[in-house]
Amino acid sequence: MIVKVHLSSHVRAYTSGARTVEAEGDTLAAVLTDLDRRYPGLRFRIVDEQDRLRQHMNFFVGGKSVRDLKSPVAPGQEVHILGALSGG
Amino acid sequence: MAKHKSADKGKSSKSSAGKAKRASKKAGRTVAKATGKASKARRIGLLVGTVKGAFYLGTDNKRKKWKLEGPHFLGNEVNHWVLDPRTRKTMLVAAVTGHLGPTVFRSTDSGMTWKEATRPPAFPKAAEGQQAPAVKRTFYLAPGHESQPGVWWAGTVPHALFKSEDDGVSWDPVVGFNSYIEGLRAKNEMYFGETPGGAITHSILIDPRDAQHMYVGLSTGGTFETSDGGRTWRGLNQNVSVVDFFPEKFPEYGQDPHCVVMNRANPDRLYQQNHCGVYRLDRPGERWERIGENLPKKVGDIGFGVVTHPRDADTVWVFPMDGTEVWPRTSPEGKPAVFKSENGGKSWKRHAKGFPSEQGWFTVFRQALKSDALDPLGLYLGTTAGEIWVSRDEGESWKPVVSYLPRILSIEVAER
């Protein structure tokens, strides 16, 4: 299943600047794996080696905040990967 | 600048921190010029890591005029930017941002183009149901021994050592070290606690006479040594004290070496600026001598960095900071000064010419006090207030050459 993934500026360097890209998968984990296949290196910047989502990155599936890689992505749902509003 | 090539697939891409790489084009040119074969004159430059990016400060062997380039990798916290002295072309940058995880950028053309490591330092994935750490930042990068081209070492937060055998493209944990330290930590967590910057593995020192012989410093944890290329390790902390609220004054490990350096002229001579003083060790001896006790009592012997002369093992510099009560970690009494010893720490001379004589509250981190190898030797220090100070006369007088940079984390001298 192809899903639409929206990205904040933090990771667009990996997508040649694209704000919205496509990836395949029916869970957040699968979507991220496919994203990394398409845009090498991206996943490790937002998910650590223990499969924990980086603290200051937020993930939304169908508009709902999720922190679990096993979260399902239903047909028609879109994924947002956004930097938290933190900085300084 | 050539387009960034995605490290994984070799595809031409503007991705993978491409912005940072494009921004680094100028740095590459500058460094390439500074280290290029066309110029026979010795040229040096400073590779400056800050909390908001990297800066290149170029000059020539006179070191009178300086030119700042950057920022490069803007927005990245750059803990370390290192030029490989074996090739004078390969450079690695240890970077992390507020949102994104830690990575390593690499260039094989003196910074003209950059790629991201395909496999940055990272711990093995824990077994199902088990907990395991994740690398928070790569803190220290060290080119390997001259006989091992392409080998690099990296120290991270939390404590761990990683090795690359392909010039920084991919990194693997040094299992012998990591499991040894984890074993010690499990026995006594208090002795491997976190500093404000985390549990830092740093000061990776490789014996130029023997690629298998290395030292590593841990804040906190102590100084450790291997004689078999990293498979087995032992503590090297005799007579180095720990903070007075620990149960033992001189434990086997648990010390906090802020910075350990090996003398280039005599690799058997080590110095360390510890949380608890300045020390010297002459191998094969095992017992450190607290040479900081010879510094003026009102100054103390607390600080972060230490530098030793590449041609004279007895010459060493420190930049003391206030270590009293709540550990202010800034120039004692607001009077910044470098202290130099020319007899291995038996006596010290204060050098403050050029520094503010009062109300000068300098904090200089462990990787931000460095020297070149010119004659006379140049010394460099970078402050947390974003200033870089230069001495062209072996530390006797100082001049600020850059102000208003972000908090400076590290300086390395790129020299050819």
Side-chain angles (χ1 to χ4, degrees), chain B residues 186-199:
Chain B
K187 280 195 280 186
N188 197 336
E189 282 189 51
M190 184 189 296
Y191 284 168
F192 290 86
E194 294 197 0
T195 73

Side-chain angles (χ1 to χ4, degrees), chain B residues 216-380:
Chain B
V216 171
L218 275 70
S219 284
T220 60
T223 304
F224 295 88
E225 177 185 38
T226 178
S227 299
D228 55 16
R231 282 184 289 280
T232 60
W233 293 81
R234 55 194 289 274
L236 199 61
N237 300 298
Q238 276 185 35
N239 201 41
V240 180
S241 67
V242 292
V243 287
D244 59 9
F245 46 80
F246 272 18
E248 303 167 80
K249 187 173 182 187
F250 296 107
E252 190 182 340
Y253 50 82
Q255 288 79 358
D256 185 3
H258 286 168
C259 180
V260 188
V261 293
M262 173 192 286
N263 186 267
R264 234 192 265 184
N266 175 11
D268 284 330
R269 169 67 62 86
L270 304 179
Y271 292 98
Q272 71 165 289
Q273 172 65 73
N274 191 283
H275 184 108
C276 299
V278 183
Y279 294 84
R280 188 191 74 223
L281 175 63
D282 290 302
R283 305 304 315 277
E286 301 260 325
R287 184 181 167 86
W288 293 84
E289 183 181 348
R290 188 166 182 175
I291 56 175
E293 287 182 336
N294 303 322
L295 281 157
K297 295 295 176 218
K298 69 174 185 178
V299 172
D301 64 343
I302 307 306
F304 286 119
V306 57
V307 171
T308 179
H309 200 297
R311 294 179 294 276
D312 177 11
D314 283 338
T315 297
V316 57
W317 295 263
V318 292
F319 187 78
M321 282 175 274
D322 192 332
T324 58
E325 295 180 10
V326 294
W327 306 347
R329 300 286 187 264
T330 187
S331 301
E333 300 181 321
K335 296 175 180 175
V338 163
F339 283 77
K340 178 183 182 183
S341 173
E342 295 180 287
N343 52 19
K346 292 187 181 75
S347 62
W348 298 86
K349 190 170 179 187
R350 182 177 189 269
H351 295 290
K353 188 178 175 185
F355 287 136
S357 57
E358 58 181 4
Q359 298 290 6
W361 304 99
F362 287 21
T363 298
V364 177
F365 284 162
R366 71 189 78 205
Q367 296 190 102
L369 178 65
K370 292 289 164 63
S371 79
D372 61 35
L374 300 182
D375 189 10
L377 169 145
L379 278 172
Y380 309 95

Side-chain angles (χ1 to χ4, degrees), chain B residues 193-212:
Chain B
E194 294 197 0
T195 73
I200 304 168
T201 295
H202 59 85
S203 300
I204 303 167
L205 310 175
I206 298 158
D207 190 332
R209 304 160 300 187
D210 178 3
Q212 302 300 305

